[in-house]
Amino acid sequence: MKALRWNELVNHVLEAAEEHQLWVPGDRIIVAVSGGPDSVAFLHIMHEISTRHVPLKLVCAHVHHGFRSESDEEAEMVGKMAAQLNIPFEWVKADIPSYMKLTGKGSQEAARDRRYAFLHEVADKYGAASIALAHHADDQAETVMLHLLRGSGLTGLSGMKFKRREKNVELIRPCLRINKTDLVEACNTQGFLYFNDASNSQRKYRRNAIRLDVLPYLGQYNGQLTPSLNRLAEIVGDEDDFMEQGAYDAYRCLVQVNGGRQTFEVPSFLKLHVALQRRLIKLILNYLPLDSDFVDFTRIETIRRKVIEPYAKTWSLDIGQTLACTREYDLVSFGLRTDVQDQSFEYRLVQWNGTYELSLREIDRYLRIVPMSPEDYLVPETADQAAFDADQLLMPLVVRSRLPGDTMKVMGLNGSKKVKNIFIDEKIPPSVRPRIPVVCDGAGNIVWLPGVRRSNIAPVKEDTSAILYMTVGNSAIQG
């Protein structure tokens, strides 16, 4: 490759960074490097930018997924490359099979979860401003087509963003206008070593099938299909941002929040364009304690059509997961169903063999308990997961609804604290609190408030020999 061509790649990234404000001088950036040609070329581009154009502090991060025989060699290669560039290197060997068993997720989704979790851990360790990913124009075209086949709306068709905030750090993708062939050519002509992932040719993965079959087939009818899909993503992305801002403005003007319920007046809602009506309902649902994949077009449209019915003045619509949309004359409100607000329950878990899942039917949730050895231990990533020293945890466990006066010895604090005050400090909405189970040990001590905080009882230590790993989630409820 001529120097000009390499310079063009660098300039493309610099232009994208300036246009989308991806960084400022002095930023510390975690660069995700898999070992493939895309990320290898990207790391060298970022290195050149940091040494010749904008002073940036880079950290190279690599995840060893363990799926392929060459993964060890790949991790070693990325480490040597980072050392040659004088860039700090962080890597992890992820136990994807154990995580798949724990969560029930497929290999691709499980690998993605663990990869992003590690990248965020590294970002936290270094106090980084952003995580840089090597997604390129071909990846964007695949993403748009994948979302199109799923029937996505504008948000899905906008594809990946150049910049998106996640967990207090920016995910940045400066290469979205660069073709994969240019990145591969850069590696070949500049002499950068890289690995090819053989799994990319396996059509059992939908994204691979789109890349290998769907896009080439459609390319017969449009020789510029990838640029066209990328242009569609940029146009739709800007229009989606505009519509989203309109929805936020409508929310601020129309919606009142009181006691965990969100309410608006029907006459004001009817004045909105149908597109904003849908967006407003989606926004309200997103503020409720619902699974993200629970908020789909069918549910949104069912609610919207119910609201605009001219003659129905009083009704209640069950929207799933213990929540309801209710109309009382000219007021429509969203919140907890009245029949579950004061529902109590108690389950005693005396003994079980292997993984055990408790269905909490009263609140449409479940509690999963997985016994594991320290060798298989995964540090809980969210408040929906907790681990306990099994030998120090007094049995039987009791899972129940909250009671007046409940207190818990919170991890990291001296003494006990009222559960009510914990909810207030954690800003847990009143409408959400009835769906939070209370996990107690055999002495009646609260050991965990799933999704909120855990106690200081039975923590996992270096000398722990047996672990109980618990997770909580929402049951699959049909609306």
Side-chain angles (χ1 to χ4, degrees):
M1 177 182 290
K2 296 180 181 179
L4 178 63
R5 185 57 187 150
W6 173 254
N7 290 339
E8 286 177 349
L9 286 177
V10 174
N11 287 335
H12 271 303
V13 172
L14 284 169
E15 289 168 3
E18 182 178 2
E19 179 182 348
H20 298 279
Q21 300 178 339
L22 300 185
W23 54 65
V24 296
D27 272 358
R28 181 171 278 107
I29 300 175
I30 310 302
V31 184
V33 182
S34 66
D38 316 339
S39 59
V40 166
F42 180 51
L43 179 64
H44 282 86
I45 291 172
M46 291 298 294
H47 176 258
E48 177 155 331
I49 288 174
S50 69
T51 55
R52 298 188 180 183
H53 300 273
V54 183
L56 301 171
K57 302 170 185 176
L58 306 181
V59 177
C60 176
H62 173 78
V63 177
H64 181 310
H65 292 115
F67 286 141
R68 295 175 289 118
S69 58
E70 62 268 26
S71 292
D72 290 335
E73 186 179 353
E74 194 171 50
E76 183 179 356
M77 182 207 73
V78 176
K80 288 181 179 179
M81 180 173 57
Q84 291 169 357
L85 297 175
N86 198 28
I87 297 174
F89 178 60
E90 296 283 344
W91 76 289
V92 68
K93 189 170 185 178
D95 186 357
I96 304 301
S98 293
Y99 185 73
M100 290 169 61
K101 183 178 180 180
L102 179 67
T103 63
K105 295 182 177 181
S107 59
Q108 294 291 296
E109 186 180 6
R112 184 187 185 281
D113 284 355
R114 298 300 297 159
R115 181 166 62 250
Y116 276 83
F118 175 68
L119 292 174
H120 280 288
E121 289 172 10
V122 176
D124 288 341
K125 176 180 177 179
Y126 285 86
S130 58
I131 297 170
L133 305 165
H135 293 123
H136 45 71
D138 298 75
D139 291 325
Q140 182 75 300
E142 294 165 17
T143 299
V144 173
M145 182 58 65
L146 186 64
H147 290 170
L148 179 63
L149 294 176
R150 288 175 177 168
S152 298
L154 285 183
T155 302
L157 295 182
S158 64
M160 295 177 285
K161 305 288 187 181
F162 277 90
K163 179 170 67 174
R164 179 172 67 84
R165 193 154 192 83
E166 182 179 283
K167 296 182 180 179
N168 298 319
V169 68
E170 300 285 356
L171 299 183
I172 61 174
R173 297 178 170 89
C175 294
L176 283 182
R177 293 195 183 115
I178 298 176
N179 294 324
K180 179 181 179 70
T181 53
D182 292 324
L183 296 171
V184 174
E185 185 180 357
C187 288
N188 293 336
T189 57
Q190 298 290 105
F192 304 148
L193 297 179
Y194 63 87
F195 278 79
N196 281 313
D197 187 348
S199 67
N200 288 331
S201 62
Q202 297 177 7
R203 286 174 168 81
K204 65 179 182 179
Y205 302 122
R206 183 171 297 181
R207 179 178 285 273
N208 289 354
I210 288 174
R211 180 177 66 257
L212 298 172
D213 298 325
V214 177
L215 291 178
Y217 177 78
L218 295 177
Q220 300 176 84
Y221 306 97
N222 181 354
Q224 295 295 312
L225 182 61
T226 294
S228 295
L229 291 173
N230 276 265
R231 186 164 56 249
L232 171 66
E234 290 212 34
I235 294 172
V236 169
D238 291 337
E239 296 185 359
D240 182 55
D241 290 341
F242 177 79
M243 289 294 296
E244 200 68 6
Q245 185 59 54
Y248 280 112
D249 292 341
Y251 183 90
R252 285 193 296 267
C253 293
L254 273 62
V255 179
Q256 300 293 323
V257 180
N258 185 18
R261 300 192 70 82
Q262 302 191 63
T263 305
F264 61 74
E265 295 182 353
V266 174
S268 299
F269 180 82
L270 295 177
K271 293 178 182 178
L272 298 177
H273 188 280
V274 60
L276 276 180
Q277 290 178 353
R278 291 177 180 136
R279 292 264 179 166
L280 180 60
I281 292 172
K282 180 181 179 181
L283 190 56
I284 291 172
L285 294 179
N286 285 335
Y287 285 141
L288 296 174
L290 291 165
D291 291 341
S292 58
D293 58 357
F294 193 76
V295 183
D296 57 18
F297 175 80
T298 301
R299 196 172 308 278
I300 293 169
E301 188 65 1
T302 298
I303 295 170
R304 190 188 74 83
R305 288 184 177 276
K306 189 70 175 175
V307 172
I308 66 175
E309 285 180 358
Y311 304 112
K313 298 297 183 183
T314 304
W315 45 259
S316 181
L317 179 66
D318 185 349
I319 58 177
Q321 296 186 3
T322 75
L323 297 168
C325 173
T326 303
R327 177 170 179 173
E328 296 174 314
Y329 301 103
D330 278 342
L331 289 179
V332 169
S333 63
F334 295 77
L336 197 67
R337 287 200 322 257
T338 56
D339 61 313
V340 298
Q341 288 180 354
D342 300 316
Q343 192 152 253
S344 62
F345 58 90
E346 179 176 307
Y347 296 90
R348 296 176 65 83
L349 308 181
V350 179
Q351 60 183 8
W352 58 88
N353 294 319
T355 299
Y356 178 78
E357 185 168 302
L358 172 66
S359 176
L360 305 173
R361 297 181 297 275
E362 294 83 358
I363 56 174
D364 294 332
R365 307 193 80 186
Y366 68 84
L367 177 74
R368 182 181 294 123
I369 302 176
V370 183
M372 62 174 56
S373 64
E375 292 76 19
D376 297 326
Y377 175 53
L378 298 169
V379 177
E381 298 175 3
T382 71
D384 290 333
Q385 305 165 345
F388 300 87
D389 186 318
D391 296 327
Q392 298 298 318
L393 201 58
L394 188 62
M395 296 295 171
L397 293 180
V398 174
V399 184
R400 61 169 172 81
S401 53
R402 183 164 61 101
L403 298 175
D406 270 344
T407 61
M408 183 174 77
K409 295 180 179 179
V410 180
M411 176 75 80
L413 296 179
N414 292 324
S416 299
K417 190 171 185 177
K418 287 186 177 181
V419 171
K420 178 181 178 180
N421 292 334
I422 294 174
F423 286 162
I424 293 173
D425 292 345
E426 297 291 331
K427 298 180 180 179
I428 306 297
S431 62
V432 177
R433 296 173 193 175
R435 295 195 70 226
I436 298 174
V438 176
V439 182
C440 304
D441 65 9
N445 300 307
I446 297 177
V447 299
W448 188 32
L449 295 173
V452 185
R453 295 290 291 273
R454 68 154 289 161
S455 73
N456 60 6
I457 296 174
V460 175
K461 299 180 180 179
E462 290 185 3
D463 59 351
T464 295
S465 59
I467 296 171
L468 284 185
Y469 197 97
M470 304 186 197
T471 60
V472 69
N474 295 320
S475 301
I477 303 297
Q478 300 298 319

